Amino acid sequence: MTETSSSLINLTEYDSSTTVIYVESLFSKEINDFIQSNFIDIAEVFRKHDLNFIYLPLLLINEEYQQVVDYNYPYLNLNLQDLRTDDVYRIILEKYDLTFSGSALIAIDSGYSDEIVDFQPIKAKDDIFCQFISFIEFTNTNIIEKYYDHTYPLFNLGSPVCKEVDDISLYYDDSILEAEILNNIQKLKEKGSLLIIANILNKIKEIEQKLSRIFITYDYRIFLSDYNMKEVVMSPLPKSLFFLFLKYPEGIPFKHLTDYEDELLSIYRNITTYDDIEQSKLSIKALTSPLGNSVNENCSRIRAAFLKVVSDKIAQNYYITGYRGDPKKIKIDRQLVIYQ
């Protein structure tokens, strides 16, 4: 494993609730040379003490992290290698109100509060590795004290963390996703450690989350035009269901889908090159039947198609969603839907 690829050791494979970041207000050749020459060992030592370690000069040239950013923050259209590390350091220091001259390690609670747990200057003239080890010891002590003096509650018993599963009537079957794709999505999922850096990247670009326009070609291909023209690929049946719901911003109750059977068949016949009209009718009838599960399966396929190209926090604006008793709908503003 090379130094560059290893810069995600604690991010894609492992993620604790505390992240340690090397920062500097003045460049130190000695300290940077030491970290780059010993990065794998340093990251592994931190990992054994349940700490993530981030070294920005390696992270920002890492192709895997570029993929993570593109998947979770496609609206940034950002090439990480174009960033100046000094700019990222400056924003981190401003964000956490840190003033010092030289180099330092900061430990940040990336699991809950995004607060600084510990801070320690690093001096080139002293044994650098020993300073890293002492930081681990002090940080772990501070974390233990923080949790055990009850100033930092582990649980908020007063309010639910999420809605009850029963409130959601639309079931998404993740088995629809091929194992390789599902594994890739897991690797690209944003962890707490990555969120710290992503917030910094947002600040550098000064862009709020932006939903892409959907561009639909004359031959019914679907592109997210503002996300570097990422194509969303579906087979004809789920694509037909997607286009039907795209036509009705107010939504459609699943129990009323039989009323749209002819319209769905027309959409399906336009999309597919399949010539068997009777088989097409059977497929659409199964899709609209309130007695079968075809509609849920195809909603899962629509969701899976978007999850292949963007994270769920963005994708959920494009696929079909809905709560118990409500019409199911696609959230995206129809002004963002462009037809060729």
Side-chain angles (χ1 to χ4, degrees):
M1 182 180 292
T2 64
E3 287 181 344
T4 301
S5 65
S6 69
S7 63
L8 284 182
I9 283 177
N10 292 334
L11 300 182
T12 57
E13 299 174 2
Y14 174 78
D15 191 61
S16 79
S17 61
T18 306
T19 297
V20 175
I21 306 178
Y22 170 80
V23 293
E24 60 187 22
S25 58
L26 293 173
F27 177 73
S28 168
K29 184 177 186 304
E30 294 87 348
I31 296 176
N32 280 276
D33 285 350
F34 172 81
I35 296 175
Q36 293 200 30
S37 298
N38 299 277
F39 177 79
I40 295 176
D41 293 335
I42 294 170
E44 191 59 33
V45 169
F46 275 82
R47 176 174 180 164
K48 287 179 178 177
H49 289 82
D50 202 27
L51 300 168
N52 298 305
F53 178 66
I54 290 179
Y55 177 61
L56 288 167
L58 287 184
L59 183 68
L60 297 180
I61 62 172
N62 186 283
E63 291 181 2
E64 291 180 33
Y65 187 53
Q66 178 71 62
Q67 293 172 11
V68 170
V69 172
D70 290 342
Y71 183 72
N72 290 281
Y73 300 90
Y75 55 89
L76 290 178
N77 289 321
L78 179 63
N79 184 349
L80 294 177
Q81 296 192 39
D82 292 339
L83 292 178
R84 284 171 44 89
T85 309
D86 289 351
D87 291 336
V88 184
Y89 284 146
R90 174 179 52 79
I91 291 178
I92 292 175
L93 300 184
E94 290 174 357
K95 173 180 173 65
Y96 295 104
D97 195 24
L98 295 172
T99 303
F100 65 92
S101 179
S103 304
L105 294 174
I106 56 173
I108 300 171
D109 182 350
S110 53
Y112 295 91
S113 61
D114 192 20
E115 295 177 350
I116 285 187
V117 177
D118 209 347
F119 167 86
Q120 177 179 307
I122 301 295
K123 298 177 181 179
K125 64 181 181 180
D126 297 332
D127 186 318
I128 299 173
F129 190 71
C130 284
Q131 293 177 78
F132 274 63
I133 296 301
S134 67
F135 183 76
I136 290 173
E137 294 171 352
F138 284 119
T139 298
N140 280 333
T141 300
N142 284 347
I143 292 171
I144 291 170
E145 290 176 352
K146 186 176 183 180
Y147 279 85
Y148 281 88
D149 67 3
H150 303 293
T151 60
Y152 189 75
L154 291 177
F155 302 100
N156 180 2
L157 300 178
S159 59
V161 175
C162 60
K163 287 181 175 287
E164 293 290 334
V165 174
D166 287 346
D167 288 345
I168 308 293
S169 58
L170 186 50
Y171 169 73
Y172 299 113
D173 184 3
D174 280 340
S175 68
I176 292 293
L177 288 164
E178 298 173 17
E180 181 180 351
I181 295 170
L182 186 59
N183 183 54
N184 192 44
I185 289 173
Q186 287 299 117
K187 286 183 178 179
L188 294 173
K189 273 189 175 180
E190 186 178 60
K191 308 291 200 313
S193 305
L194 300 179
L195 184 58
I196 293 172
I197 304 302
N199 286 337
I200 301 301
L201 299 180
N202 274 282
K203 202 158 189 177
I204 289 174
K205 292 285 285 186
E206 296 183 341
I207 297 176
E208 297 296 326
Q209 177 173 309
K210 174 187 173 185
L211 294 180
S212 173
R213 289 167 293 177
I214 302 177
F215 179 69
I216 300 168
T217 67
Y218 67 90
D219 56 350
Y220 302 99
R221 294 173 70 188
I222 302 167
F223 294 89
L224 299 179
S225 56
D226 297 306
Y227 297 162
N228 288 321
M229 290 298 284
K230 291 176 183 277
E231 184 172 6
V232 181
V233 179
M234 301 179 214
S235 57
L237 198 57
K239 186 180 284 190
S240 301
L241 188 66
F242 173 77
F243 283 139
L244 177 71
F245 275 82
L246 210 54
K247 288 180 64 177
Y248 295 95
E250 70 278 10
I252 303 172
F254 279 173
K255 63 183 178 182
H256 293 164
L257 267 180
T258 52
D259 299 338
Y260 299 85
E261 193 172 310
D262 290 341
E263 190 171 358
L264 256 176
L265 179 61
S266 176
I267 296 171
Y268 182 70
R269 295 286 293 167
N270 284 331
I271 290 174
T272 185
T273 57
Y274 194 59
D275 291 330
D276 189 334
I277 182 65
E278 293 304 320
Q279 185 57 51
S280 297
K281 287 180 179 179
L282 288 174
S283 297
I284 296 303
K285 189 170 287 293
L287 182 60
T288 58
S289 171
L291 302 178
N293 196 43
S294 178
V295 65
N296 282 296
E297 289 175 355
N298 282 283
C299 283
S300 294
R301 290 188 173 93
I302 294 169
R303 176 173 175 265
F306 280 98
L307 286 179
K308 289 176 188 176
V309 296
V310 293
S311 67
D312 191 56
K313 66 182 178 183
I314 294 174
Q316 63 185 269
N317 293 282
Y318 298 96
Y319 59 72
I320 298 167
T321 60
Y323 291 98
R324 181 184 299 278
D326 293 341
K328 308 303 176 286
K329 62 180 67 176
I330 296 173
K331 298 176 185 176
I332 191 73
D333 186 336
R334 296 314 188 266
Q335 292 184 0
L336 296 179
V337 181
I338 312 297
Y339 293 89
Q340 189 175 39

